Amino acid sequence: YRCARTPRRARRTSGETSERTDRYTKYRVCDQSDARARSTTTSTINKVDMMMKTRRAAGGSRRAFVTLACALAWMACAVTHASAATYTCTAQCDSSAATTSQCGSGNVLSASTTCSATHTTYEGCTATVCNAACASATTATVEPVTYLSKTYNCFNATNKMHMMNATAIEQSVSMNCGPGSHQMSSMYMAGAMHTTCDNWSNAASPAGASASATAVFAVAAACALMLA
């Protein structure tokens, strides 16, 4: 309902004085009430608008902070997941000392591939050994090196494709996701399946790969909740 003042006549008769006064008073009061209502409504709208702007600004700052924190956490996971160097490695078993571990005590990735009387080829070593043994490696695939009088095969972890099936299997052992390989066209890839070695880890614990994957998933889930 909106108030409106009726136009005043140029002249009024004396008999209309009372009616004119009452009508003028009525519309004057109505105009004043309408003005106060408009003023109150405008003030309320301005307050709500200011409150929403403040909340949006605070929300934008919080979102930017959470995004930055998540990015840093994700980078930390990536750095933790990958070894200090690009290379994983296997140590070649010594035929004259078949039961002697070439990686050294506590540095063999899997008991199933430890050098022994029944396993005389190679064993996968942890990052502790490989980072030192492969420090000078430069090849894009696999490179044999001699370190502290022992022979190692250093595998570039960024490339899992090989011409020889045996080489792909050996790399899967060095990445603690084997032994296994699968054929892709005319080449062979480390890992029994295409994604088997995606979350590889040459950490000391055989559970390193799954732990790394769990950590990445946890960071992703936490970020999704905070940004929701």
Side-chain angles (χ1 to χ4, degrees):
Y1 176 80
R2 296 190 63 184
C3 298
R5 188 193 303 276
T6 57
R8 295 183 182 181
R9 300 178 194 174
R11 295 177 180 274
R12 296 181 185 272
T13 63
S14 58
E16 296 176 320
T17 302
S18 177
E19 179 185 353
R20 177 176 61 81
T21 302
D22 290 345
R23 186 179 299 172
Y24 178 78
T25 302
K26 169 186 173 183
Y27 282 107
R28 183 180 62 183
V29 171
C30 189
D31 279 350
Q32 291 172 347
S33 298
D34 190 45
R36 284 195 297 270
R38 285 197 301 271
S39 177
T40 301
T41 301
T42 301
S43 176
T44 302
I45 291 174
N46 288 339
K47 287 179 180 179
V48 172
D49 186 53
M50 183 62 69
M51 184 184 301
M52 293 301 293
K53 287 181 179 178
T54 301
R55 288 185 177 180
R56 281 196 296 269
S61 299
R62 174 182 174 275
R63 190 177 186 87
F65 174 78
V66 171
T67 301
L68 177 60
C70 287
L72 292 175
W74 190 270
M75 289 172 62
C77 280
V79 171
T80 301
H81 167 65
S83 62
T86 309
Y87 294 87
T88 59
C89 72
T90 57
Q92 307 305 297
C93 299
D94 187 349
S95 58
S96 61
T99 59
T100 301
S101 171
Q102 300 302 299
C103 294
S105 178
N107 287 311
V108 182
L109 289 176
S110 174
S112 64
T113 60
T114 301
C115 292
S116 66
T118 56
H119 183 80
T120 60
T121 51
Y122 50 78
E123 58 186 13
C125 301
T126 65
T128 302
V129 174
C130 297
N131 290 345
C134 303
S136 60
T138 57
T139 186
T141 53
V142 56
E143 180 178 339
V145 299
T146 300
Y147 177 72
L148 297 180
S149 302
K150 296 179 181 178
T151 303
Y152 299 87
N153 278 339
C154 296
F155 293 87
N156 191 317
T158 62
N159 176 47
K160 298 192 287 288
M161 300 297 295
H162 303 278
M163 295 302 298
M164 302 293 293
N165 185 36
T167 306
I169 294 175
E170 185 174 351
Q171 183 180 25
S172 74
V173 172
S174 76
M175 301 175 87
N176 200 20
C177 52
S181 69
H182 62 282
Q183 188 170 1
M184 293 186 66
S185 187
S186 61
M187 301 183 74
Y188 297 88
M189 184 176 183
M193 299 178 66
H194 193 71
T195 58
T196 301
C197 293
D198 280 358
N199 291 318
W200 67 271
S201 174
N202 62 350
S205 170
S210 59
S212 178
T214 301
V216 171
F217 176 79
V219 169
C223 289
L225 287 173
M226 287 188 288
L227 291 173

